[in-house]
Amino acid sequence: MCGIVGYIGFNQAADFLLDGMAKLEYRGYDSAGIAVIGANNVIKIQKKVGRLANLEAIVKQDPNEGVVGIGHTRWATHGRPSDMNSHPHADENMKFAVVHNGIIENYMPLKEELLQKGYHFKSETDTEVIAHLLADMYDGNFEGTVRRMLDRVDGAYALEIICADEPDKIICTKKENPLVIGLGKGENFVASDIPAIINYTRDTYILSDGEIAIVTKDSVSVSDRAGNPINKKVFHVIWNAEAAEKGGYEHFMLKEIHDQPKAVRDTFGTHISEDMSQALFSELNWEASDVDSIKNILIVACGTAYHAGLVTKKYIESLARIPVNVEIASEYRYSNPLTDSSTLCIVISQSGETSDTLAALKEAKRLGARSLAITNVVGSSISREADQIVYTWAGPEISVASTKAYTTQLVAGLLFAVYLGQLNGKLDAALAKDILIGIHELPELIHTIFEVDEDMKAFAKHYGFKTDVFFLGRSIDYAVAMEGALKLKEISYIHAEAYAGGELKHGTLALIEEGVPVIALATQEDVFDKMISNIREVKAREAVVIGIGMKGDEEIAKHVDHTIYIPRANKFIAPILAVVPLQLLAYYAAITRGADVDKPRNLAKSVTVE
């Protein structure tokens, strides 16, 4: 779903801009703001949908002159939600206004440079740097200044920029974040995604990385970074509005699985230093003493978020050497918990509205614990209740079965574990850098896993009508196995259970018989040989085994019926990669069985009752 919107023309200005600003309200995302240039050539900035009562009057003040407007439908990544931290951002002289999706990775050195030059910043965002940088570099040529500004900016972004000196145009560009241009008559539209514009036009240009578009009400010209013209082909949208929201995918779940590279990139964002040696959390701004006061950590969550908590426990204990206990949120309040002021309570929730998790958070705070929320929704109940927040920038997740929210929770958990370990001095610098480099490479690594799509589809067709499936794993792989089993059972209705590999001989082996599918994860080198032994145990009972291993581990293929390889990576990165083929397997199993993938029976997206 879209994050930024832009309009130039006059035919549908009020409808489009207001609709664009409200687009994500029902998805749980607060709208952030809009900048409008009217006939008087002055940038006027309005913030938040609730304060846009006069927007329609502004855009209709002189319809014959037309209107340029840019807006953003989500809060900025940096800082707590506030008018100052919401888009658009302008320079001090209101010459430029900017909205932005993505992350400016080198914003801090740019900000320090601009501060030394006397520029004043109103927000905590990376986006405001662009507005001041444009003002600093401006030579009277709007387009030329934008091109030179881009040479100084690193990161992933989709940008819309307007200038009071040239009020008849929007300049937009992108790198690793989506941007589309809708083509109309006497008006043109800009948005992050097709759903935002489908009610207004079906003819579009879809920008590629590095392309720059100059948009006026009567024309759209596209060029590369060097200024060479590009002849774009018109993409005519034939989908209906619902299909457009799915991006052409058959189901939201499949789209959201494929959204994961971008969601991961948006989540690690500016949490990694430019030299990839430090984990950064400016929103926390902790010192070593803050970590030293933590004697134990409590993680509370439900369902998929609980599984993310189990992985995060391994991360924190391994990298920061702080004891961690993970509790199912619905059980925590009734366990007579040993929580006090030396406890850090971490709550994990995609929606931020999970009733059991919210209740557990309140109980932990009542007992004196400090609290930290990992959530995907700005302004949610849990984000308001927690002392501090780390946001996962997965974007709207519509399918009931969580995919990209889970992977971003793992990324946030791993980054936080590195952050703790660096602050308390327990984490080796070389290992920290290896992990941070691995996180930075995750989007590309996840893309390569999509190559197993056909394999998972074939496995689903062969084994999708079995009544039982078992998942095995050791160490962190066991937590991933639990998530794989949950995905399969919740959308395909196949009875699926996950077991620690070493537990087989303590009763579970009695359930293994000829033809029973077993999904065996073996991505952790320190328990690899033990896992091979467990695989041999189920093979001896004639189970059909699908092994998940890292590229280069040829040994696993000798002991299983089918092998799926994930890219070789640091052992802390492997759990984030290993879950992707399991998500695909669950998806195609549900398709094979004719289940409703996005809306499985008896389940809801946000569990708001106990």
Side-chain angles (χ1 to χ4, degrees):
M1 188 61 89
C2 75
I4 60 179
V5 292
Y7 174 85
I8 186 163
F10 58 86
N11 292 345
Q12 303 180 84
D15 290 342
F16 176 71
L17 292 173
L18 285 167
D19 179 54
M21 294 310 300
K23 195 81 176 169
L24 295 188
E25 291 272 304
Y26 77 104
R27 301 289 195 209
Y29 288 94
D30 204 350
S31 299
I34 198 156
V36 173
I37 297 182
N40 58 3
N41 299 348
V42 175
I43 296 177
K44 300 188 177 187
I45 295 183
Q46 304 292 322
K47 299 289 177 62
K48 290 200 66 182
V49 166
R51 300 183 184 179
L52 290 175
N54 65 335
L55 174 61
E56 190 165 356
I58 290 173
V59 297
K60 287 186 175 179
Q61 62 183 337
D62 194 345
N64 294 321
E65 293 292 329
V67 168
V68 179
I70 56 176
H72 202 287
T73 60
R74 292 184 63 183
W75 289 107
T77 307
H78 296 72
R80 287 180 175 267
S82 70
D83 281 355
M84 287 299 99
N85 283 331
S86 62
H87 294 237
H89 291 280
D91 68 289
E92 291 171 288
N93 295 320
M94 303 293 282
K95 182 78 70 177
F96 295 95
V98 180
V99 293
H100 161 225
N101 268 357
I103 297 292
I104 305 303
E105 294 176 357
N106 64 333
Y107 87 101
M108 188 54 71
L110 290 173
K111 183 174 183 177
E112 291 171 353
E113 173 189 323
L114 290 162
L115 285 168
Q116 290 175 3
K117 290 183 175 182
Y119 289 89
H120 299 92
F121 286 76
K122 297 179 180 179
S123 76
E124 301 171 58
T125 69
D126 56 341
T127 306
E128 190 181 355
V129 167
I130 297 174
H132 291 301
L133 190 59
L134 286 166
D136 186 64
M137 301 177 73
Y138 189 50
D139 60 0
N141 183 322
F142 182 19
E143 181 180 346
T145 302
V146 170
R147 291 183 185 279
R148 287 184 290 113
M149 177 275 295
L150 292 174
D151 289 336
R152 301 209 55 200
V153 169
D154 297 326
Y157 49 76
L159 291 168
E160 291 179 339
I161 305 166
I162 55 179
C163 176
D165 286 352
E166 300 186 43
D168 61 339
K169 66 181 63 170
I170 298 172
I171 296 182
C172 54
T173 187
K174 68 163 293 246
K175 179 185 176 186
E176 299 177 12
N177 270 262
L179 198 66
V180 300
I181 299 172
L183 308 174
K185 294 182 178 179
E187 59 184 351
N188 287 302
F189 309 82
V190 184
S192 306
D193 210 346
I194 288 172
I197 62 177
I198 197 169
N199 291 333
Y200 303 93
T201 180
R202 290 178 176 265
D203 291 329
T204 67
Y205 289 153
I206 300 177
L207 289 196
S208 300
D209 283 357
E211 293 180 345
I212 299 173
I214 312 298
V215 184
T216 72
K217 68 183 181 68
D218 295 313
S219 67
V220 177
S221 60
V222 182
S223 60
D224 62 19
R225 288 283 291 272
N228 302 308
I230 295 173
N231 184 22
K232 296 292 289 185
K233 290 185 178 180
V234 174
F235 176 73
H236 182 73
V237 180
I238 59 174
W239 317 319
N240 59 27
E242 181 180 0
E245 287 191 12
K246 296 175 184 174
Y249 291 97
E250 187 174 354
H251 298 94
F252 279 112
M253 182 179 177
L254 188 59
K255 176 185 183 295
E256 288 156 10
I257 290 172
H258 284 264
D259 281 347
Q260 287 176 120
K262 180 183 183 301
V264 164
R265 185 182 298 281
D266 287 348
T267 296
F268 70 66
T270 54
H271 293 311
I272 301 176
S273 65
E274 196 167 356
D275 63 359
M276 299 196 195
S277 66
Q278 297 288 319
L280 307 173
F281 281 90
S282 59
E283 64 268 50
L284 303 181
N285 198 29
W286 286 4
E287 298 178 352
S289 59
D290 293 301
V291 182
D292 291 341
S293 65
I294 300 170
K295 303 308 178 187
N296 61 85
I297 293 175
L298 165 71
I299 299 177
V300 288
C302 302
T304 285
Y306 172 74
H307 298 153
L310 292 173
V311 178
T312 300
K313 167 186 166 72
K314 297 285 189 181
Y315 288 159
I316 293 173
E317 291 186 338
S318 298
L319 303 177
R321 306 304 295 161
I322 301 172
V324 181
N325 185 40
V326 185
E327 294 271 4
I328 296 172
S330 58
E331 293 293 319
Y332 171 73
R333 284 188 298 156
Y334 311 106
S335 63
N336 194 20
L338 299 174
T339 300
D340 57 27
S341 59
S342 66
T343 303
L344 172 66
C345 175
I346 301 175
V347 295
I348 306 175
S349 169
Q350 185 282 135
S351 67
E353 302 294 343
T354 311
S355 179
D356 292 318
T357 306
L358 180 59
L361 169 60
K362 291 178 178 178
E363 176 66 7
K365 288 183 67 178
R366 187 187 69 80
L367 295 171
R370 292 164 55 187
S371 59
L372 173 72
I374 298 177
T375 185
N376 193 41
V377 179
V378 175
S380 59
S381 297
I382 284 174
S383 71
R384 295 194 304 271
E385 183 70 30
D387 297 324
Q388 291 184 292
I389 313 152
V390 171
Y391 284 113
T392 57
W393 297 101
E397 190 176 64
I398 309 304
S399 177
V400 167
S402 180
T403 52
K404 62 180 180 175
Y406 172 78
T407 51
T408 56
Q409 287 164 358
L410 297 192
V411 170
L414 181 52
L415 283 165
F416 183 66
V418 173
Y419 183 67
L420 292 178
Q422 290 184 317
L423 284 174
N424 70 6
K426 300 294 178 66
L427 178 57
D428 176 74
L431 176 56
K433 187 162 187 174
D434 187 43
I435 292 170
L436 295 174
I437 290 172
I439 293 173
H440 198 269
E441 293 174 345
L442 263 171
E444 291 304 317
L445 296 180
I446 294 172
H447 267 299
T448 67
I449 297 176
F450 295 148
E451 296 172 5
V452 306
D453 187 275
E454 290 299 319
D455 291 330
M456 305 320 288
K457 188 183 297 185
F459 296 154
K461 287 183 178 179
H462 279 104
Y463 308 117
F465 290 101
K466 297 289 184 177
T467 56
D468 300 283
V469 175
F470 294 93
F471 289 73
L472 300 180
R474 282 178 173 264
S475 187
I476 299 180
D477 278 345
Y478 173 42
V480 179
M482 294 172 71
E483 174 60 15
L486 175 60
K487 282 291 144 298
L488 188 64
K489 72 179 77 172
E490 72 178 323
I491 64 170
S492 74
Y493 318 140
I494 297 171
H495 172 247
E497 296 294 338
Y499 291 94
E503 284 294 289
L504 279 170
K505 51 189 171 290
H506 297 289
T508 312
L509 208 54
L511 298 174
I512 305 298
E513 58 186 5
E514 182 179 358
V516 170
V518 174
I519 317 298
L521 288 89
T523 73
Q524 300 296 301
E525 292 183 2
D526 52 346
V527 292
F528 183 81
D529 291 339
K530 293 291 186 182
M531 194 64 218
I532 293 298
S533 176
N534 300 141
I535 290 171
R536 293 177 66 181
E537 286 178 325
V538 296
K539 279 301 297 174
R541 276 72 180 179
E542 300 186 40
V544 176
V545 182
I546 300 171
I548 310 287
M550 283 206 222
K551 283 185 178 178
D553 290 336
E554 301 299 331
E555 182 66 20
I556 189 174
K558 300 175 184 178
H559 305 283
V560 301
D561 298 281
H562 312 283
T563 309
I564 296 295
Y565 288 110
I566 63 172
R568 180 158 291 279
N570 181 289
K571 70 176 184 179
F572 298 104
I573 302 297
I576 307 171
L577 298 171
V579 76
V580 178
L582 303 184
Q583 294 169 345
L584 290 168
L585 178 63
Y587 173 78
Y588 287 116
I591 295 295
T592 298
R593 296 168 68 89
D596 187 339
V597 174
D598 288 331
K599 298 177 182 178
R601 66 192 183 199
N602 305 330
L603 300 178
K605 184 62 180 173
S606 295
V607 182
T608 56
V609 294
E610 293 189 65

